[in-house]
């Protein structure tokens, strides 16, 4: 059973733990022109408003920046994703951090071929020396990369392939090696592993800390499907993809495999998007990203009070202050009369 799970994860984690070795070899010198000041995502404190179901209705009042999507290995403006920009929204509730990825795209589906379905990934810097380029940037090759030779180059990965994933259903959690949503880490493109696994291949039941769901806006009121369509919409239907994810701010990780988020602190992150352009299978290195360098994720601190509740709180505070002042004056008045000496005029008996 364990072998079966690992084989399934190997396929789902389809940017291919072995195939990707060749696909990420670059033919030319890396070049990146990035305005890091504009690459900023803020996760405000907004408790109790998000339901993980892939739908974006509960994100309507949350702002998020838009990013152009350019190929990861050739971030040239001429090669941008043609159907639009990606909106990235984030918030937290003090315990968990939530993300919504929103990108326009025709609905595509190919039965039994996950690489002809869209896919997304999140990447976060863990090690101090971890770079966006080359997914951590460790110089070691597969077979020589270890937690010692690549120390400080760790990045945290979450990858979700919609494939046969049911829209609106929650995936993730539990064992990191099972399902369409996987939790992983890497030191470079040649050295990526599922949580709980390492170069030796030993599996220690790594915990998948992520949960997520997806949706496409064309799913409402569709009928007349054929075999090439999915059960949810017609292939080629225009619309918007929504990917919704959540993870605890802090995890139990002790192996430098998970990023640890801190309130009122910043982390570095990136977002990747795979799409079968012209119906062709995507390859591991053929993804788009929101920037050719890290983007900043700020986990903001904040008050639990909304504007309405704050107004009500101010009024209640005013009444409480008025009541306290009145009570103080009454207490002084009562104390004064209680403490006054009771003097009785003496009258001689003979005068009675």
């Amino acid at each position: 059973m364990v072998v079966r799970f690992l084989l399934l994860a190997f396929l789902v984690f389809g940017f291919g733990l072995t195939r990707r070795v060749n696909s990420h070899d670059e033919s030319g010198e890396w070049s990146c022109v990035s305005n890091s000041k504009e690459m900023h995502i803020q996760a405000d404190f907004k408790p109790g408003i998000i339901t993980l179901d892939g739908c974006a209705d509960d994100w309507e009042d949350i702002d998020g920046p838009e990013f152009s999507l350019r190929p990861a290995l050739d971030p040239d403006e001429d090669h941008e994703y043609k159907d639009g920009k990606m909106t990235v929204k984030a918030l937290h509730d003090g315990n968990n951090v939530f993300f919504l990825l929103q990108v326009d795209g025709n609905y595509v589906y190919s039965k039994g071929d996950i690489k002809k379905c869209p896919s997304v990934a999140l990447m976060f810097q863990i090690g101090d020396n971890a770079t966006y380029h080359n997914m951590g940037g460790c110089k070691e090759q597969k077979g020589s990369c270890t937690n010692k030779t690549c120390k400080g180059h760790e990045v945290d990965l979450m990858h979700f392939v919609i494939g046969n994933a049911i829209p609106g259903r929650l995936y993730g959690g539990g064992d990191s090696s099972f399902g369409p949503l996987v939790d992983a880490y890497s030191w470079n493109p040649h050295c990526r592993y599922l949580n709980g696994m390492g170069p030796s291949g030993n599996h220690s039941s790594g915990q998948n800390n992520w949960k997520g769901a997806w949706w496409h806006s064309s799913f409402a009121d569709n009928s007349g499907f054929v075999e090439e369509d999915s059960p949810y919409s017609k292939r080629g239907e225009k619309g918007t993809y929504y990917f919704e994810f959540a993870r605890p701010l802090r995890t139990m990780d002790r192996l430098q495999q998970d990023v640890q988020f801190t309130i009122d602190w910043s982390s570095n992150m990136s977002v990747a998007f795979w799409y079968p352009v012209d119906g062709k299978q995507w390859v591991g290195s053929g993804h788009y990203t929101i920037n050719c360098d890290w983007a900043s994720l700020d986990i903001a601190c904040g008050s639990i009070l909304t504007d309405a509740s704050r107004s009500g709180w101010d009024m209640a505070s005013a009444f409480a202050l008025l009541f306290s002042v009145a009570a103080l004056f009454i207490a002084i008045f009562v104390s004064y009369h209680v403490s006054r000496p009771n003097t009785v005029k003496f009258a001689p008996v003979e005068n009675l």
Side-chain angles (χ1 to χ4, degrees):
M1 182 64 71
V2 172
V3 174
R4 181 183 174 190
F5 282 179
L6 293 179
L7 288 175
L8 179 58
F10 191 88
L11 294 174
V12 170
F13 197 51
F15 26 95
L17 294 177
T18 57
R19 244 176 115 176
R20 290 172 306 178
V21 171
N22 294 327
S23 67
H24 276 75
D25 289 340
E26 295 175 5
S27 58
E29 183 179 352
W30 168 253
S31 176
C32 170
V33 178
S34 170
N35 187 348
S36 59
K37 292 183 179 180
E38 296 181 1
M39 302 302 159
H40 173 81
I41 302 164
Q42 180 157 320
D44 287 327
F45 179 57
K46 301 283 186 180
I49 67 172
I50 300 300
T51 300
L52 279 180
D53 54 9
C55 297
D57 294 348
D58 41 9
W59 290 87
E60 185 176 353
D61 296 327
I62 307 300
D63 294 327
E66 288 187 339
F67 299 97
S68 298
L69 292 168
R70 299 180 181 178
L73 298 186
D74 183 18
D76 190 280
E77 184 177 358
D78 294 337
H79 301 148
E80 281 185 9
Y81 176 69
K82 301 302 182 183
D83 286 342
K85 297 182 178 182
M86 173 179 281
T87 300
V88 181
K89 298 184 179 183
L91 61 84
H92 74 95
D93 63 3
N95 295 308
N96 299 282
V97 60
F98 300 83
F99 295 92
L100 177 75
L101 313 180
Q102 177 180 326
V103 58
D104 290 340
N106 293 348
Y107 180 67
V108 289
Y109 172 80
S110 182
K111 187 176 181 179
D113 191 344
I114 61 174
K115 292 190 176 183
K116 286 189 176 182
C117 301
S119 176
V120 293
L122 302 177
M123 180 171 72
F124 302 90
Q125 181 184 17
I126 301 176
D128 292 339
N129 301 321
T131 60
Y132 158 83
H133 183 53
N134 277 335
M135 300 182 64
C138 180
K139 302 299 184 182
E140 301 293 326
Q141 296 297 311
K142 191 173 181 69
S144 62
C145 53
T146 67
N147 56 1
K148 293 183 178 179
T149 60
C150 290
K151 183 176 177 60
H153 290 275
E154 302 86 355
V155 295
D156 188 5
L157 302 171
M158 186 285 302
H159 187 221
F160 184 66
V161 182
I162 66 175
N164 295 322
I166 298 173
R169 176 175 291 184
L170 191 62
Y171 292 93
D175 194 313
S176 63
S177 65
F178 181 72
L181 188 155
V182 293
D183 196 349
Y185 69 100
S186 81
W187 294 302
N188 63 42
H190 312 280
C191 303
R192 326 181 186 188
Y193 305 96
L194 299 174
N195 272 20
M197 296 187 70
S200 63
N202 295 329
H203 184 55
S204 59
S205 298
Q207 176 68 27
N208 187 341
N209 297 290
W210 288 93
K211 293 182 179 180
W214 75 284
W215 194 259
H216 190 268
S217 60
S218 68
F219 290 161
D221 301 325
N222 276 295
S223 61
F225 305 135
V226 297
E227 177 65 21
E228 289 75 16
D229 296 327
S230 83
Y232 315 109
S233 184
K234 292 181 179 180
R235 187 169 58 180
E237 195 86 357
K238 292 184 179 297
T240 302
Y241 284 95
Y242 301 99
F243 302 91
E244 196 173 23
F245 304 105
R247 203 211 77 169
L249 291 170
R250 314 288 292 182
T251 73
M252 298 299 291
D253 171 55
R254 297 295 181 270
L255 302 174
Q256 285 282 87
Q257 297 178 1
D258 289 333
V259 63
Q260 303 300 322
F261 299 112
T262 302
I263 295 176
D264 202 22
W265 201 257
S266 297
S267 300
N268 286 327
M269 70 170 293
S270 184
V271 182
F273 178 60
W274 287 260
Y275 190 83
V277 179
D278 298 326
K280 299 177 181 178
Q281 284 188 332
W282 49 258
V283 296
S285 61
H287 56 283
Y288 300 94
T289 60
I290 61 173
N291 188 28
C292 59
D293 203 348
W294 293 118
S296 174
L297 170 67
D298 296 339
I299 308 295
C301 60
S303 170
I304 62 173
L305 298 176
T306 62
D307 292 339
S309 63
R310 185 177 291 110
S311 176
W313 177 262
D314 292 341
M315 185 173 293
S317 298
F319 276 115
L321 178 61
L322 181 62
F323 180 79
S324 298
V325 172
L328 177 62
F329 278 108
I330 292 174
I332 293 174
F333 178 79
V334 172
S335 298
Y336 171 75
H337 283 280
V338 170
S339 62
R340 287 182 60 188
N342 294 324
T343 56
V344 179
K345 187 176 181 180
F346 175 76
V349 175
E350 57 269 21
N351 295 335
L352 297 177

